[in-house]
Each structure stands twice: as C-alpha cells, then as structure tokens.
Amino acid sequence: MSAEFIENIEAFLDGSLSREDLESLAQEQGIENLDEEIQWFKDSQVAIEASGLRDQLREVLPKSTKKEAKVIRFTSFRRALAVAASILVIAVAYWVLNPGNSGGGLYSKYEFVDPGLPVLMSQSKDHLLYDAMTYYSEANYAEAEQRLQQIKSQFPSSDTISYYLAASQLYQGKTADATASLLEIQQLDNSRYKQRADWLLVLNALKDKDFDAARTTITSILNNSDHEFFENARNLQQELNQE
C-alpha cells in the first residue's frame, strides 16, 4: 500500500472521497483486502495518539528499574492500548506506595526508548519487517533482533534496519553489538536516524558506566544547538562533571 493510497483512505474517512472511488483506486493498485487496510489506518491513528500520551506520561512519572516485558502478540492496537492503560494504573500505584524509589542512575534518568515505526500489513512484501517491528513494539527485543539480522543480510546499507537493530541490542544490554550498529549510522551523511543514533551511543556508554566515553560522545551533540537531544546532553554533561 503506497503513501498516496494511505492519503486516499484518510480522505475517505474524512468524507471527501466516496467508498466507490476508494474501491476503484484500490483495484488500480491491486489491493484486495480494502477493509483490512482501512482498519490498519484507524489502528495506526490510535497507536500514534497512544505514543503521544506515553511521551507526556514519561515527563511526569519517575524512572524505575526496567523489568522484563511479558510477550503478548496483540491482535490490534486498541487491545494494546487497553493493556497499556492497565499497566499505567499499576505503575502509578507503585509510585504512590514507593515515593523514595527514583530508579537506576544516569542511564535510567536519560533513557530514550524509541517507540518503533508502523509498517504495512503482514501480507505485504515487507512481512519480515512487519514481524520484527511487531516484536519490537512489544519490547521483545531478542526476537526483534533476530528478525532484523535476517533483513540486514538482504539490505546491509539500510539505515532503518541498522538503527532498530542497534536499539534492540542496546535495550537487551548488548552494548558492544549496539555500538557497532550505531557507528554504521554515524558514518552516513544524511541518515534520518543520525541524531537518535548519537543519543543511543551516549546511553550505551551510560549503561556500561563508562562516563569518560559518555563525555566524549556528547561533544558532537553539544556542538549542534539544533540537535534533537541537545538539552538532554547539556543536562547530562553537568551531571557527568559532578561524577
């Protein structure tokens, strides 16, 4: 399903395109499961809204030590959202009952967990990527890494694959492997993931408690005031200077 057809679905849901016209456009692109593609688009919007809510909550909730995530294969984003809401209730209750527990050091304080990216339906040619990102979104990083490694052998120059492979490795604590993958992205001039890769390299050093490497790594971020993680880097530098 092309980006153009996604816009057609949005137009249909907004009422500016008729069902008949949408079906005609779907036939032109060889799309047979139109209702599934419409539902995918709706669920994606729910996921985007949920991601925004999660980011807001991250600002007000303290960091806590990360626990192993239970692997659940969600049948829809709405079910995922419902489960996330129940987990949030438990997290808030834990915070209230344990106000003195603020989490695990600088890595926990500055941790950035990339939410992943939406991909097309599993029937598409991107089935392996769809499968990998499904596991990734469930925080099953070991399974995500395994599948991303398979894709990387076919597309070794893909910065998308290298980035999410690195993230999967970092979140498992495989810092050496993650460093190698992240350095591949840093060597690319126009990668859309470069700034996030810069910050994951910093987190990599913090996870290893290698504060000298963290100080060195944040230098390039601090030299760019427009960097996505500039404020994080500046605050972290102040804390590192106290170590």
Side-chain angles (χ1 to χ4, degrees):
M1 183 169 63
S2 66
E4 181 181 357
F5 191 73
I6 291 175
E7 293 178 358
N8 291 331
I9 291 178
E10 185 174 16
F12 165 68
L13 294 174
D14 289 342
S16 56
L17 185 70
S18 69
R19 172 75 186 207
E20 182 179 353
D21 288 339
L22 183 65
E23 290 176 350
S24 177
L25 291 168
Q27 289 180 355
E28 291 178 6
Q29 295 199 19
I31 296 174
E32 299 178 354
N33 51 346
L34 179 57
D35 288 333
E36 290 184 18
E37 302 293 3
I38 292 173
Q39 188 60 48
W40 171 84
F41 179 84
K42 291 179 179 178
D43 290 340
S44 295
Q45 298 310 299
V46 174
I48 291 169
E49 292 170 6
S51 176
L53 174 61
R54 181 202 53 214
D55 292 340
Q56 294 174 36
L57 291 170
R58 186 176 290 141
E59 294 297 321
V60 298
L61 290 177
K63 299 291 183 183
S64 59
T65 303
K66 187 179 287 185
K67 298 179 176 58
E68 290 296 322
K70 182 178 179 181
V71 179
I72 306 173
R73 296 307 302 268
F74 295 117
T75 56
S76 73
F77 286 115
R78 287 189 174 87
R79 182 181 172 194
L81 184 58
V83 173
S86 65
I87 293 173
L88 175 61
V89 171
I90 296 172
V92 172
Y94 180 82
W95 179 26
V96 172
L97 294 174
N98 300 273
N101 185 1
S102 60
L106 290 176
Y107 176 85
S108 296
K109 183 173 183 178
Y110 289 97
E111 182 180 21
F112 167 71
V113 179
D114 194 296
L117 71 160
V119 293
L120 304 184
M121 303 295 289
S122 59
Q123 294 89 344
S124 75
K125 63 181 179 181
D126 299 319
H127 172 74
L128 263 180
L129 179 59
Y130 174 89
D131 209 27
M133 296 313 300
T134 298
Y135 278 114
Y136 180 93
S137 67
E138 294 166 2
N140 187 352
Y141 300 119
E143 292 291 341
E145 179 191 9
Q146 180 180 345
R147 284 157 177 77
L148 288 167
Q149 289 281 23
Q150 296 177 43
I151 304 172
K152 186 172 176 60
S153 65
Q154 303 174 39
F155 305 98
S157 61
S158 169
D159 60 342
T160 299
I161 302 304
S162 293
Y163 173 74
Y164 283 106
L165 175 60
S168 297
Q169 292 165 335
L170 170 61
Y171 301 149
Q172 292 178 79
K174 296 182 176 181
T175 52
D177 292 336
T179 296
S181 299
L182 290 167
L183 288 176
E184 291 180 12
I185 299 171
Q186 284 205 320
Q187 293 170 3
L188 301 174
D189 293 331
N190 300 313
S191 172
R192 77 192 89 173
Y193 299 103
K194 187 179 185 308
Q195 293 193 358
R196 276 180 278 177
D198 290 341
W199 189 245
L200 289 193
L201 276 171
V202 174
L203 293 178
N204 229 24
L206 293 180
K207 184 176 276 289
D208 284 339
K209 299 189 185 303
D210 188 345
F211 300 133
D212 287 337
R215 290 186 186 94
T216 301
T217 307
I218 64 175
T219 301
S220 63
I221 299 176
L222 293 170
N223 288 336
N224 177 10
S225 60
D226 293 326
H227 197 287
E228 181 180 356
F229 293 94
F230 178 80
E231 289 299 328
N232 298 59
R234 186 165 62 178
N235 294 334
L236 175 59
Q237 183 185 50
Q238 293 174 0
E239 298 201 48
L240 286 173
N241 289 338
Q242 299 172 8
E243 290 291 335

